Amino acid sequence: GVATWYTGSQMNAPACGGGTPSDNDMVGAVSQNSPFKCHDRVTLSRGSKKVTVKVVDFCESCSPTHVDLSKAAFKKLASLGEGELHGLNWSM
């Protein structure tokens, strides 16, 4: 899978309902064609690094194997400067 990160106004009014998440929340957005749906908890791993996020939104530009993470979640896997991670493993 692929991961990117999103922030600020991109997080307003999440499609899955609830309040607007912050950059520090462990959340993500997925494609509407993703195997993961609203409120699922998804664990992403990259080597020895792992993060579990709650799906709170949809990502219009994401493929079914792409998750857009909050800054805090992305930083559990890599520095924000990497921007886009490839070859991630996903599980529920």
Side-chain angles (χ1 to χ4, degrees):
V2 177
T4 51
W5 57 273
Y6 69 127
T7 186
S9 64
Q10 294 172 313
M11 300 177 96
N12 290 344
C16 298
T20 298
S22 77
D23 289 337
N24 296 319
D25 290 329
M26 294 296 163
V27 297
V30 296
S31 163
Q32 290 190 20
N33 298 323
S34 169
F36 306 108
K37 304 299 176 211
C38 284
H39 311 294
D40 282 352
R41 295 210 177 271
V42 180
T43 299
L44 298 105
S45 58
R46 181 182 192 222
S48 63
K49 296 181 179 184
K50 286 201 308 193
V51 64
T52 300
V53 298
K54 181 178 179 181
V55 175
V56 297
D57 205 358
F58 294 121
C59 172
E60 294 298 323
S61 63
C62 291
S63 72
T65 59
H66 181 163
V67 62
D68 212 8
L69 300 170
S70 63
K71 280 181 159 183
F74 191 94
K75 288 194 286 190
K76 294 280 186 181
L77 300 172
S79 72
L80 294 178
E82 286 194 53
E84 190 170 302
L85 305 176
H86 294 270
L88 296 173
N89 293 312
W90 295 28
S91 63
M92 282 183 67

